[in-house]
Amino acid sequence: STGDDQKKLDVLSNDMMINALVNSGVCSILVSEENEEPIIVPENKAGKFCVAFDPLDGSSNIDCNVSVGTIFSVYEKSPGSKGSVDDLLRSGAHCICAGYCVYSSAVELVFTFRGGDVHGFCLDPTIGEFVHTRVGMKFPEDGGKRIYSCNEGNYQHWDKPIQDAVQVFKTGEKPYTARYVGSMVADIHRTLLYGGIYLYPADKKSPKGKLRCLYEGIPMAMIIEQANGIASTGLFEGKIQRVLDLTPDEIHCK
């Protein structure tokens, strides 16, 4: 895997995702957080789409029964391409679909197509189908609840501007409430529904941050922006950028 400790459920979920996508007949190349190398779909089963995914985000929370999830982004092969890693190593402007599934008290699937609205579906186990329950999901117009979400255990390793910002959240005239699950899917899902700010800053240990572009940063940024939110890199490589403007230079880049 790419550095996170694998657990049994990681392996099972990864195998299920790969088997489903390879046999779907519509994918040509897959990138999984759990596999160091890309997965090339056999030519007789290959299609026009390229998919990057984290099969089980937040898996360190499995043993304590905290929410986990799946994140994915979908690209289309470039014209004339037979399907290669280069079809995925493009900015978020080329992502045609992004989504996540959160596994908790209910199973919810949230996704969006490029240029479209964000929609949510809830699994109804009595019929074995996802039911369209959240239409045109948007961040609350007034910003919603004053919640900030980050791992303050890394506070001492952050740059001073990030430390100062978090201090303002905590000690400003109207202080924010802290909420942090540690599963990105769960924290983003709450932020999308309730409002607030989620941040995962770079630090001295991880100067480029820890979120992987292809199957964490870009798909979540696409969902956030199309729900009328802002997905920013902050000051990254000398300038403030949209996450969707980043171009990955390798499949597991941060």
Side-chain angles (χ1 to χ4, degrees):
S1 70
T2 59
D4 298 325
D5 290 337
Q6 281 189 311
K7 295 182 180 293
K8 186 176 181 180
L9 203 54
D10 280 310
V11 177
L12 289 172
S13 58
N14 190 47
D15 288 346
M16 291 171 70
M17 288 285 290
I18 292 171
N19 288 338
L21 291 170
V22 165
N23 290 298
S24 68
V26 299
C27 299
S28 61
I29 185 165
L30 311 175
V31 165
S32 169
E33 193 268 347
E34 299 293 340
N35 292 69
E36 292 287 354
E37 300 296 327
I39 299 138
I40 308 299
V41 178
E43 192 172 341
N44 65 323
K45 294 182 178 180
K48 65 179 182 178
F49 298 112
C50 310
V51 183
F53 57 92
D54 183 347
L56 200 63
D57 174 71
S59 56
S60 61
N61 285 320
I62 291 171
D63 291 341
C64 59
N65 203 28
V66 170
S67 304
V68 293
T70 298
I71 313 171
F72 61 88
S73 62
V74 182
Y75 289 72
E76 196 167 3
K77 289 191 300 186
S78 300
S81 172
K82 293 184 178 180
S84 72
V85 169
D86 290 338
D87 293 315
L88 279 165
L89 297 183
R90 295 183 287 170
S91 74
H94 297 275
C95 182
I96 62 171
C97 178
Y100 64 80
C101 199
V102 58
Y103 314 117
S104 184
S105 53
V107 176
E108 290 199 61
L109 172 66
V110 174
F111 68 86
T112 186
F113 292 101
R114 183 173 60 202
D117 290 332
V118 179
H119 293 275
F121 299 78
C122 187
L123 178 64
D124 183 342
T126 63
I127 59 174
E129 298 285 351
F130 279 92
V131 179
H132 195 184
T133 51
R134 302 186 191 274
V135 180
M137 297 172 70
K138 303 288 185 186
F139 280 91
E141 289 188 9
D142 61 355
K145 297 184 179 180
R146 299 174 69 85
I147 297 171
Y148 76 97
S149 182
C150 60
N151 183 359
E152 290 194 72
N154 294 325
Y155 182 90
Q156 294 302 322
H157 303 291
W158 292 342
D159 294 336
K160 191 171 187 305
I162 295 293
Q163 293 177 335
D164 292 345
V166 171
Q167 284 302 315
V168 170
F169 297 151
K170 295 163 68 173
T171 62
E173 186 176 337
K174 293 182 177 179
Y176 282 57
T177 299
R179 293 284 185 272
Y180 186 69
V181 176
S183 293
M184 186 188 188
V185 168
D187 284 313
I188 292 289
H189 190 60
R190 181 199 59 247
T191 304
L192 175 56
L193 295 178
Y194 293 171
I197 182 168
Y198 171 84
L199 58 157
Y200 205 137
D203 56 37
K204 295 170 186 175
K205 298 180 295 182
S206 303
K208 282 197 165 186
K210 290 193 70 176
L211 298 180
R212 313 282 176 170
C213 287
L214 277 178
Y215 42 79
E216 290 175 328
I218 287 173
M220 287 304 197
M222 185 173 172
I223 292 167
I224 288 164
E225 286 201 0
Q226 295 191 174
N228 288 351
I230 297 171
S232 172
T233 64
L235 186 62
F236 181 66
E237 296 182 340
K239 58 183 178 179
I240 296 174
Q241 308 173 62
R242 294 167 65 229
V243 174
L244 288 179
D245 287 339
L246 295 177
T247 300
D249 56 9
E250 58 101 7
I251 60 174
H252 297 300
C253 75
K254 302 176 181 180

